[in-house]
Amino acid sequence: MKTALREKQWAEKYPDLGTDPLPVAPYVSDEQFALERDLVFRRSWINVGRVDEVPNPGDYIVRDIAICKASILIIRGSDDVVRGFHNVCSHRGNTLVLDERGSCPGSVYCHFHNWIYSDTGALIRVPDEENFFDFDKRDHGLTPVNTDIWEGFVFVHLDPEPAETLREFLGGVADQLDGCPFHEMPLTQTYRVEEHANWKVGLDAQNELYHFPFQHRRVLGDAFVTNDKKQCRYLDLTLYDKHSVWSCEFQRGQEPTALATTLFKFDGVLRSFTIPQMIGEMDFFTVFPNFVILLYQLGTTTSYLTYHFWPLAVDLTIWEIGVYFREPLTVREQLRQEYFKCTYRDTLQEDTAMHETLQAGLASGVKSHVILQDNELAIRHFHRVLESRLHAGRNA
């Protein structure tokens, strides 16, 4: 087992980030929220799902990026290419596809006047077409959105001319996780929670492990390695250009509950499944601006989770959580996964309540700054990246 529990080592590794408090204003300012919409979300690659969600030609998902007032249609065409389009009819601007997901082999149509588009975005039928003026269907297909795929994750960019490719944007995250067997772990559970909190409050609260021994002590106990003061420390921390990853390890020698003993007892079907790209036993990748990939490996139990923090207003956010496992081979393995999901759900409920009380405290105006310690350095990095993007956009 690796150990890296020395105090203040990450500020020493990344001295350029400094140690000053962070201002509260970005969490409560409507002006800041508008800037984040225009200079961050409209100018970044945003993850909107996985190719597993559109496995067959005609399969589609719709993702609303509310902060940008954009509805995005992701559809696999009859040519097997996954594309993204603005979910807007070319005729009168009606929302084209109303369902969150579905299948429409060959074509999609508008419910208002029955304009029909192919699954590759071309306009193929217009009722009473001859009654339009100087009209050519070839000029009125669906409006495309820049779309790219990395390791099965579908990203879109709302700028018609992105400043960088998806690979350039992901940088070190892609370098670390290239080849990760995400495709072997399908989505098994989704949670969506509407929180009365700024999107950065939720992301910040998850982007550290300082709170583990306190907030989650009743649900998780001493699940993670701590130092002699019973404090969690990053096992490792790497800051990329825009993104970050921190890691920790699980505590050994805990007395399991009777249920856990039964569920995790060897049942004769031991599948060796490791993720060689992992750094620790839990790796938390923050992909700027609002996406998280969380890898778990504890014994024979391997999983990953995704978080999306979707801003609705300066003090309102949808926190979306996806849980991914391999298909279970035995009943006991399936029960292990259900046990994991229930335990994790309980910790998420604790987190959600805390996000909202954090926002209430920040909005009170009592404090002008928040204070960060060494094992919250990933938060400091995130805000440095955010402020750099806003500064560059203001001065462009």
Side-chain angles (χ1 to χ4, degrees), residues 30 36 61 65 109 142 157 163 217 234 257 289 316 329 342 351 368 380:
D30 287 311
E36 290 167 355
I61 57 173
I65 306 178
Y109 72 96
L142 296 179
H157 201 301
R217 63 186 180 276
Y234 294 138
T257 65
L316 192 63
L329 291 182
C342 290
D351 286 328
S368 62
R380 187 182 300 281

Side-chain angles (χ1 to χ4, degrees), residues 43-151:
R43 300 190 188 182
S44 298
W45 285 97
I46 304 294
N47 175 254
V48 292
R50 285 193 53 79
V51 292
D52 316 16
E53 299 178 81
V54 287
N56 304 306
D59 289 351
Y60 66 83
I61 57 173
V62 172
R63 171 66 74 187
D64 291 332
I65 306 178
I67 188 173
C68 298
K69 297 181 174 60
S71 178
I72 306 300
L73 171 67
I74 302 295
I75 186 168
R76 186 182 290 273
S78 51
D79 55 2
D80 209 37
V81 175
V82 176
R83 297 177 175 85
F85 301 97
H86 286 279
N87 187 26
V88 177
C89 180
S90 299
H91 177 211
R92 299 263 295 278
N94 187 40
T95 299
L96 185 66
V97 178
L98 303 179
D99 298 326
E100 184 177 320
R101 62 185 65 245
S103 185
C104 51
S107 63
V108 293
Y109 72 96
C110 178
H111 295 266
F112 195 14
H113 296 99
N114 206 44
W115 282 35
I116 299 177
Y117 302 84
S118 74
D119 55 18
T120 61
L123 178 60
I124 56 177
R125 182 179 181 276
V126 174
D128 202 17
E129 179 181 347
E130 60 276 7
N131 208 29
F132 284 86
F133 305 93
D134 301 319
F135 185 82
D136 188 333
K137 289 194 296 290
R138 292 173 297 183
D139 299 331
H140 300 284
L142 296 179
T143 303
V145 175
N146 282 293
T147 306
D148 204 351
I149 298 168
W150 166 78
E151 292 296 343

Side-chain angles (χ1 to χ4, degrees), residues 131-274:
N131 208 29
F132 284 86
F133 305 93
D134 301 319
F135 185 82
D136 188 333
K137 289 194 296 290
R138 292 173 297 183
D139 299 331
H140 300 284
L142 296 179
T143 303
V145 175
N146 282 293
T147 306
D148 204 351
I149 298 168
W150 166 78
E151 292 296 343
F153 291 101
V154 182
F155 287 78
V156 298
H157 201 301
L158 296 180
D159 192 325
E161 298 182 0
E164 55 191 341
T165 66
L166 175 60
R167 181 73 198 205
E168 291 168 342
F169 177 79
L170 291 174
V173 170
D175 294 339
Q176 177 67 33
L177 292 180
D178 276 345
C180 189
F182 295 112
H183 62 285
E184 296 187 36
M185 295 176 279
L187 179 67
T188 63
Q189 184 73 51
T190 300
Y191 302 105
R192 289 189 182 93
V193 184
E194 184 176 289
E195 300 184 333
H196 292 276
N198 185 270
W199 67 280
K200 300 183 295 297
V201 165
L203 181 55
D204 288 354
Q206 298 307 302
N207 198 13
E208 48 98 342
L209 70 173
Y210 181 30
H211 71 284
F212 283 7
F214 313 108
Q215 184 175 332
H216 300 313
R217 63 186 180 276
R218 293 182 180 85
V219 176
L220 300 179
D222 298 324
F224 296 95
V225 170
T226 58
N227 63 8
D228 56 2
K229 299 178 182 178
K230 300 297 183 181
Q231 301 300 308
C232 287
R233 294 279 192 266
Y234 294 138
L235 168 70
D236 194 24
L237 171 68
T238 299
L239 305 181
Y240 304 114
D241 178 34
K242 305 176 186 67
H243 322 295
S244 64
V245 56
W246 55 262
S247 305
C248 61
E249 292 191 322
F250 295 103
Q251 191 78 267
R252 297 297 187 271
Q254 286 194 98
E255 187 68 28
T257 65
L259 176 59
T261 299
T262 301
L263 289 179
F264 290 89
K265 180 181 178 181
F266 176 61
D267 59 4
V269 183
L270 182 63
R271 296 194 293 174
S272 177
F273 181 63
T274 60

Side-chain angles (χ1 to χ4, degrees), residues 2 12-13 36 57 67 70 74 76 106 119 126 151 154 247 303 306 308 319 323 331 344 347 352 354 368 378-379 389:
K2 307 172 188 176
E12 294 174 9
K13 182 178 179 181
E36 290 167 355
I67 188 173
I74 302 295
R76 186 182 290 273
D119 55 18
V126 174
E151 292 296 343
V154 182
S247 305
S303 172
T306 57
H308 294 84
W319 184 18
V323 185
V331 172
Y344 203 80
T347 66
T352 293
M354 190 61 67
S368 62
I379 299 173
R389 292 290 296 273

Side-chain angles (χ1 to χ4, degrees), residues 263-314:
L263 289 179
F264 290 89
K265 180 181 178 181
F266 176 61
D267 59 4
V269 183
L270 182 63
R271 296 194 293 174
S272 177
F273 181 63
T274 60
I275 300 178
Q277 293 82 1
M278 287 192 68
I279 302 163
E281 292 175 324
M282 188 179 90
D283 295 345
F284 190 101
F285 289 84
T286 301
V287 181
F288 187 84
N290 70 323
F291 181 45
V292 169
I293 301 173
L294 183 55
L295 302 178
Y296 277 94
Q297 182 133 10
L298 179 58
T300 60
T301 301
T302 304
S303 172
Y304 82 94
L305 296 94
T306 57
Y307 296 165
H308 294 84
F309 292 90
W310 298 109
L312 302 180
V314 67

